[in-house]
Amino acid sequence: MLDKSIIEQFKEIVGEKNVETSNMSLHSYSYDATPGFRKTPDVVVAPNNTEEIAEIVKICNDHKIPLTPRGSGTNLSAGTTPLKGGVVLLFKHMNNILEVDEQNLTITVQPGVVTKKLIDKVEAKGLLYPPDPSSINISTIGGNINENSGGLRGLKYGVTRDYVLGLKIVLPNGDIIETGGKLAKDVAGYDLTRLFVGSEGTLGIITEAILKLVPMPEYKKTMLATYADIDDAARTVSAIIENRIIPATLEFLDQPTVEVVEEYNQIGLPTDAKAILLIEQDGPESVVNKDIEKIAEICKELKAVTVSVAKNEQEATALTTARRSALSTIARLRPTTFLEDATVPRSQVAPMVKEINRIAEKYNVKICTFGHAGDGNLHPTVPTDVRNKEEYHRVEQAFAEIFEKAVELGGTITGEHGVGAMKAPFLKLKLGEEGIRALKSVKQSFDPNNIMNPGKMFFEEEEKGE
Amino acid sequence: MDTLVKERIQVDFQNRMDRDELENCMRCGFCLPVCPTYIQSGYDETQSPRGRIALMKGIVDGEIEPDEDIEQTLNECLGCRACEPACPAGVNYGQLLEEARDIFNQNKQHSLPEKVIRKTVFEGLFPHQNRMENMTSLLTFYQRSGLQKIARNIGFMKLFPETLATMEKVLPSTPTRKEMRSQASYYVHKSQPKARVAFFKGCLMDTMFREVNKATIELLQKVGCDIAVPDTQNCCGALHGHSGEKEKAKELAKKNIAAFEEVGADYIITNAGGCGAFLHDYGHLLHDDPEWSERAANFASKIKDITAILIDLDFHLTPLQMPEQVVTYQDSCHLRNVQKTFDEPRLLLQSIDGLHYEEMNDAARCCGSAGIYNIVHSELSMKHLDYKMEQVKDTAATTIVTTNPGCLLQMKLGIEREGLSDKMRAVHIVELLIEAVDRRTSV
């Protein structure tokens, strides 16, 4: 429990109504979107600006009070669960788009802006902000930056990291710093901007961001190819890129996913297909048409059973339905849904999917795999029930083996969700003892009192909370 | 709330809440951007479906004790169920909410005035259509006798809260008792009927919004329906169900099921989104009653909104005409989110010559009427309404079309509050369609 006088100090800084201590509020901020993690914080504070945050951080640092920043709580690695209690810091008041700079093609935002709102704003001006995580309608840009979120357009356009030009940050000692700027080139000192992107709230608090925008592609086309053999689908992915075509989207669904999607949605997918690829290309119309034609050819050469190209927007939507309904269909199978993001080099997608299927059989759990084939980012998804302890244990074992395999194939334990508390036990697989030591020394130098989002990224035993 | 009450509530939560349904919430947050109370509260998790489900689950799991704060956030939910179509896991939030509210309500000591009001409304008035008629004829007397004029002149309504006072102004001119009683119970179509339907007339729709019901029957006749109107039907029970009076709702449901079984129609037609959705949910309401579960499910499967049957029977392909005007459509939350009827009303409006249909931004967002929400939570309700009226004004529409009496009244209220009553009107869709039919026949 926090001392009453500290709560009073918070109230003086941000105003009484922005400090919540009711049981209801504390309970409501005790979780995020990650199954199996929950911990009640001591207080929930919603600051109005950077200066207030600096004051709050100083108090926390002086008293060694844990502090967890939180946007909309859509995190899938327990990154926004306040595992050590303390303060949950909300950005609900800091949700303004500060500037769209059409000369420099940048947008300056506060962290609480919902990503979709940002995207709508720039698209209205004929510009594109490419990172598009599936939670786009509710996730905040602050969360996207802290987790270095990806999305469906990652293959061609990159991820959040590639669009962050500058940040305003409150450091754990209360200092306010600014990194980068509206600059294409900047080599002044260490690249702190990149260090903070994906830092998962463990190094400081991002309170403003300058993001890069690109021109909106003028034309888009969508197609779907089905395969009787996973290897053919995987070879198609490699062949497309070998042919010097980078599609905007190159998505994959495996057979278990196709089966459940078809069973529930009846959209006419062949349930005997071992894999489906959803491909989109955007750009100048003539280029898109040429690319799509060539891709269709490659698909057929590599034994696609069916290849369909959408003739219009409506047909395109029909094709993307399969991919978009994957999660919601799997989520309806059982009470708990674990959505993971093991990632491998794209040449290893087929071996990885086969490994996942073997592991599913070994531990007798259902695993549906879909994801971003183009960038090797797979989402093995397990419908289960956390109340069934025995089964849950098998799910945990299966995931541990999946992460091991991913790393073995030259991949990583997380492609876009972050390490958080969920993947912390596996970070060593990817980085080794030495790597973790290097990371810890960075953490130590910024946050010697370990107040910033403690319990995340670095594994300690028994992190699961209440 | 004293400890004993809290303990009783917790035990009831453990015994009565559907644990699988609570567990189904994967906390992904996809419901947040569509939740009106979450947005209106300035993004407060406690005012969101995910938050409310977490609180219900917290009580069941014994992680948090039930208190006034939780009761309040449950009551401040509009129950619009916009979260349900947005939910990847398909959680039946509306059912969880109703059960939780019922538990709080059953364990609560109501103040004496509230007891009287609840008893009057839930037991004395709505279940008895003859008393609804009496109430309405009292209103008619008030409107037609000159009393209304006097009351307005002396500023009597100023003694009431702003919402009620404005509400008094926008109530439709109601029928007399004689007019209400002059309804046939069966309308046989002359030639071979295209469909055999039964009409659920509702309590408010059949009294205060009598004209809408008349227009509905006329439309059904025009498209070739054989229509039965069972006279033993009664209030759907939505008001009870949503206000923590579940047992009363079940009684009403059983009477309705029996009434409609007798006429054995292919479809049961409704013209009030709220009632339609509650009837549509009878299957769940009575799912653990062995004698009634199957009958309820069968009843529920026949529910169809008037706009849906009109589209089914190609009404929109017949020539319809109106004077040049811009119209916009306010979705009835329950018609859209529970009955999944949202294309049909739009198609109908777009099929009328002379009408320019303009979709408003966030048409699916609740207008804040929500049963008796606009009376009980007047201040919050007006915030939802203010947002809605901004969207309406952006369309430049002069006619707002609705498909539910609550929304209709609320939109009338919105027009009055904005001082736009001389240039804008709100109508039920069937009223507009009948106008379009009449106009076509007259030209």
Side-chain angles (χ1 to χ4, degrees):
Chain A
M1 271 300 278
L2 278 190
D3 200 90
K4 272 212 177 83
S5 71
I6 291 191
I7 303 228
E8 285 310 311
Q9 289 179 55
F10 289 154
K11 284 182 181 170
E12 269 169 41
I13 297 166
V14 299
E16 186 131 1
K17 68 177 185 358
N18 291 318
V19 177
E20 314 239 20
T21 51
S22 73
N23 286 331
M24 172 173 81
S25 290
L26 299 182
H27 188 86
S28 301
Y29 293 101
S30 66
Y31 53 81
D32 59 22
T34 321
F37 290 84
R38 204 182 79 70
K39 170 80 184 180
T40 310
D42 296 306
V43 61
V44 178
V45 183
N48 299 290
N49 51 51
T50 305
E51 291 69 30
E52 289 181 3
I53 292 178
E55 285 186 60
I56 294 165
V57 169
K58 271 182 210 153
I59 294 172
C60 289
N61 200 31
D62 288 349
H63 295 86
K64 299 193 170 52
I65 300 164
L67 210 160
T68 305
R70 176 186 165 110
S72 300
T74 56
N75 196 285
L76 286 167
S77 61
T80 37
T81 307
L83 282 180
K84 306 279 182 184
V87 179
V88 165
L89 201 69
L90 297 183
F91 291 91
K92 59 182 186 179
H93 301 313
M94 293 175 66
N95 61 352
N96 299 303
I97 293 174
L98 302 174
E99 185 201 31
V100 180
D101 181 342
E102 293 187 62
Q103 282 190 318
N104 289 307
L105 292 191
T106 63
I107 183 169
T108 306
V109 293
Q110 292 185 312
V113 174
V114 169
T115 313
K116 182 69 168 38
K117 189 178 155 198
L118 181 168
I119 286 180
D120 286 346
K121 176 96 175 183
V122 302
E123 288 191 352
K125 293 179 188 290
L127 294 166
L128 182 69
Y129 175 74
D132 59 343
S134 296
S135 53
I136 193 170
N137 282 322
I138 189 61
S139 65
T140 61
I141 193 69
N144 290 176
I145 294 171
N146 270 294
E147 301 298 327
N148 190 8
S149 303
L152 268 65
R153 299 194 277 231
L155 170 62
K156 180 170 182 174
Y157 291 99
V159 295
T160 303
R161 172 204 293 135
D162 302 304
Y163 294 88
V164 183
L165 295 174
L167 296 172
K168 184 185 271 187
I169 300 162
V170 175
L171 296 178
N173 62 5
D175 285 353
I176 299 170
I177 61 166
E178 288 183 36
T179 73
K182 294 177 182 176
L183 301 162
K185 296 179 176 176
D186 177 12
V187 291
Y190 295 138
D191 192 347
L192 288 182
T193 311
R194 286 228 161 180
L195 177 61
F196 272 81
V197 178
S199 64
E200 305 189 13
T202 61
L203 298 180
I205 297 166
I206 294 167
T207 64
E208 220 173 278
I210 302 167
L211 307 170
K212 183 169 87 174
L213 305 173
V214 296
M216 178 89 103
E218 59 188 57
Y219 189 71
K220 190 169 92 176
K221 222 160 184 176
T222 309
M223 62 182 286
L224 194 77
T226 63
Y227 293 85
D229 186 339
I230 284 188
D231 282 324
D232 292 335
R235 275 166 44 218
T236 304
V237 172
S238 308
I240 292 170
I241 290 153
E242 274 167 28
N243 274 274
R244 308 291 183 266
I245 301 171
I246 306 288
T249 297
L250 184 35
E251 296 285 305
F252 167 88
L253 288 89
D254 76 347
Q255 189 176 26
T257 312
V258 174
E259 266 174 19
V260 298
V261 168
E262 183 53 26
E263 189 184 330
Y264 277 75
N265 303 308
Q266 306 283 327
I267 43 185
L269 297 175
T271 47
D272 53 346
K274 287 276 188 272
I276 285 184
L277 292 178
L278 172 77
I279 305 157
E280 275 185 343
Q281 181 59 306
D282 62 13
E285 189 169 346
S286 59
V287 177
V288 171
N289 284 332
K290 208 177 79 200
D291 282 355
I292 288 286
E293 212 172 289
K294 182 72 191 161
I295 294 170
E297 237 171 70
I298 296 169
C299 293
K300 282 175 199 154
E301 265 168 39
L302 290 166
K303 297 188 210 144
V305 181
T306 62
V307 178
S308 38
V309 179
K311 289 182 190 66
N312 50 41
E313 185 78 13
Q314 218 174 352
E315 276 189 34
T317 312
L319 295 185
T320 51
T321 305
R323 168 62 180 92
R324 277 193 285 118
S325 56
L327 170 63
S328 51
T329 311
I330 298 168
R332 278 160 206 254
L333 295 180
R334 301 277 304 277
T336 315
T337 310
F338 280 93
L339 175 69
E340 277 302 347
D341 67 332
T343 302
V344 290
R346 62 178 155 252
S347 61
Q348 301 296 328
V349 166
M352 188 66 221
V353 172
K354 284 181 178 166
E355 280 300 326
I356 292 170
N357 291 341
R358 180 189 62 77
I359 292 165
E361 208 167 303
K362 176 175 170 188
Y363 293 101
N364 188 25
V365 291
K366 186 174 186 74
I367 305 184
C368 302
T369 303
F370 57 93
H372 321 298
D375 45 45
N377 180 196
L378 298 171
H379 291 302
T381 302
V382 176
T384 177
D385 188 338
V386 283
R387 291 168 297 182
N388 183 341
K389 297 273 183 265
E390 185 274 328
E391 182 181 318
Y392 180 46
H393 181 60
R394 282 186 280 121
V395 172
E396 285 183 313
Q397 286 176 307
F399 272 129
E401 198 165 327
I402 286 174
F403 299 139
E404 270 171 41
K405 273 292 158 204
V407 173
E408 236 178 80
L409 292 170
T412 181
I413 57 167
T414 171
E416 56 182 4
H417 293 173
V419 177
M422 183 93 173
K423 305 286 186 72
F426 306 104
L427 189 61
K428 203 167 81 181
L429 283 176
K430 169 73 182 150
L431 298 182
E433 297 281 3
E434 303 82 353
I436 288 185
R437 252 200 319 273
L439 252 54
K440 275 189 171 161
S441 64
V442 174
K443 164 82 175 167
Q444 176 71 20
S445 68
F446 276 94
D447 183 20
N449 292 324
N450 193 23
I451 59 162
M452 283 309 307
N453 206 4
K456 312 302 159 62
M457 208 175 293
F458 305 107
F459 180 60
E460 302 160 42
E461 289 295 330
E462 293 310 309
E463 285 286 4
K464 287 233 156 177
E466 289 161 5
Chain B
M1 222 177 259
D2 66 40
T3 323
L4 216 66
V5 176
K6 286 178 179 173
E7 278 169 16
R8 279 210 313 263
I9 292 175
Q10 199 201 345
V11 170
D12 278 0
F13 260 77
Q14 285 168 342
N15 291 335
R16 288 177 50 189
M17 294 303 289
D18 185 334
R19 288 178 193 229
D20 282 335
E21 204 68 72
L22 289 171
E23 202 64 48
N24 277 335
C25 170
M26 53 200 274
R27 305 178 191 160
C28 63
F30 283 21
C31 55
L32 302 177
V34 298
C35 173
T37 56
Y38 175 71
I39 296 165
Q40 199 72 65
S41 70
Y43 313 104
D44 184 344
E45 179 79 19
T46 68
Q47 300 287 322
S48 73
R50 179 174 68 174
R52 291 183 176 114
I53 290 173
L55 292 168
M56 296 178 206
K57 184 168 180 294
I59 296 173
V60 170
D61 293 343
E63 287 170 348
I64 181 172
E65 59 176 26
D67 61 17
E68 284 87 357
D69 289 338
I70 298 176
E71 184 184 10
Q72 191 178 343
T73 184
L74 293 177
N75 286 338
E76 284 180 358
C77 170
L78 290 153
C80 70
R81 296 167 72 172
C83 47
E84 290 182 19
C87 176
V91 175
N92 290 305
Y93 171 81
Q95 293 166 6
L96 289 171
L97 178 73
E98 262 168 38
E99 197 72 34
R101 275 184 181 170
D102 195 57
I103 293 171
F104 269 102
N105 186 49
Q106 298 311 324
N107 285 291
K108 196 178 172 181
Q109 289 287 31
H110 290 294
S111 65
L112 191 62
E114 198 182 338
K115 257 189 206 161
V116 173
I117 293 173
R118 290 186 77 95
K119 205 171 165 62
T120 312
V121 172
F122 294 127
E123 290 176 37
L125 189 57
F126 274 81
H128 307 282
Q129 198 58 15
N130 58 336
R131 293 185 198 163
M132 290 294 285
E133 285 170 11
N134 289 341
M135 250 294 270
T136 308
S137 57
L138 209 65
L139 187 62
T140 311
F141 175 73
Y142 170 75
Q143 287 173 339
R144 296 193 189 175
S145 66
L147 247 183
Q148 185 171 46
K149 235 180 200 160
I150 297 168
R152 285 182 186 176
N153 286 344
I154 63 169
F156 178 67
M157 288 314 291
K158 287 193 184 124
L159 298 175
F160 292 91
E162 192 252 332
T163 324
L164 274 184
T166 317
M167 187 85 82
E168 187 268 350
K169 285 193 204 160
V170 301
L171 286 178
S173 51
T174 47
T176 62
R177 190 192 316 248
K178 199 175 153 203
E179 285 162 352
M180 281 183 279
R181 297 246 161 112
S182 64
Q183 182 171 285
S185 58
Y186 207 74
Y187 301 82
V188 183
H189 195 261
K190 285 168 205 143
S191 55
Q192 193 68 22
K194 284 193 198 159
R196 293 176 58 250
V197 305
F199 178 52
F200 181 82
K201 54 187 182 174
C203 37
L204 267 184
M205 294 304 285
D206 202 42
T207 48
M208 204 179 281
F209 293 99
R210 181 59 189 233
E211 288 304 313
V212 176
N213 269 9
K214 255 173 74 184
T216 307
I217 299 264
E218 272 180 61
L219 288 174
L220 286 171
Q221 283 180 301
K222 278 190 198 305
V223 291
C225 290
D226 193 0
I227 313 149
V229 188
D231 51 13
T232 49
Q233 60 175 298
N234 50 228
C235 169
C236 65
L239 210 54
H240 306 78
H242 300 157
S243 308
E245 299 281 348
K246 215 173 158 187
E247 285 312 309
K248 196 78 210 162
K250 284 183 186 172
E251 271 177 45
L252 292 166
K254 289 174 187 173
K255 283 188 190 154
N256 278 329
I257 293 167
F260 281 88
E261 277 172 350
E262 272 180 38
V263 298
D266 303 329
Y267 300 114
I268 299 167
I269 305 300
T270 62
N271 59 9
C275 306
F278 202 73
L279 299 172
H280 185 269
D281 280 353
Y282 274 5
H284 173 77
L285 185 69
L286 296 168
H287 76 283
D288 51 4
D289 187 326
E291 194 193 327
W292 288 89
S293 62
E294 216 184 300
R295 293 167 71 181
N298 185 38
F299 174 92
S301 69
K302 291 184 174 179
I303 299 300
K304 205 178 193 63
D305 187 67
I306 176 71
T307 58
I309 186 135
L310 289 178
I311 292 290
D312 279 1
L313 299 178
D314 292 338
F315 181 76
H316 59 304
L317 301 181
T318 62
L320 293 165
Q321 202 172 25
M322 288 288 283
E324 293 282 331
Q325 59 187 298
V326 180
V327 300
T328 192
Y329 175 66
Q330 163 60 31
D331 277 290
S332 149
C333 295
H334 284 180
L335 185 60
R336 183 183 179 103
N337 300 324
V338 182
Q339 289 181 267
K340 308 280 190 286
T341 303
F342 44 89
D343 284 337
E344 292 88 340
R346 288 174 171 82
L347 264 174
L348 287 167
L349 293 174
Q350 283 161 353
S351 71
I352 302 174
D353 283 341
L355 282 196
H356 175 67
Y357 177 74
E358 192 69 45
E359 177 86 8
M360 78 169 99
N361 182 29
D362 279 338
R365 171 106 61 97
C366 180
C367 63
S369 168
I372 51 169
Y373 191 96
N374 58 1
I375 299 170
V376 187
H377 303 288
S378 174
E379 207 178 311
L380 285 172
S381 164
M382 291 306 111
K383 283 187 185 166
H384 294 292
L385 181 57
D386 289 345
Y387 175 79
K388 186 55 68 177
M389 291 311 290
E390 287 304 311
Q391 314 314 313
V392 169
K393 283 192 279 185
D394 281 351
T395 65
T398 52
T399 305
I400 313 171
V401 180
T402 65
T403 42
N404 183 55
C407 317
L408 180 55
L409 270 182
Q410 182 85 342
M411 296 321 294
K412 283 175 187 257
L413 204 64
I415 293 171
E416 185 70 30
R417 274 164 58 88
E418 298 281 330
L420 293 169
S421 47
D422 52 340
K423 26 181 137 72
M424 201 187 269
R425 64 172 185 157
V427 295
H428 191 288
I429 193 164
V430 301
E431 294 179 279
L432 194 80
L433 292 174
I434 277 292
E435 270 183 53
V437 169
D438 290 348
R439 194 165 171 90
R440 180 198 62 197
T441 44
S442 67
V443 285

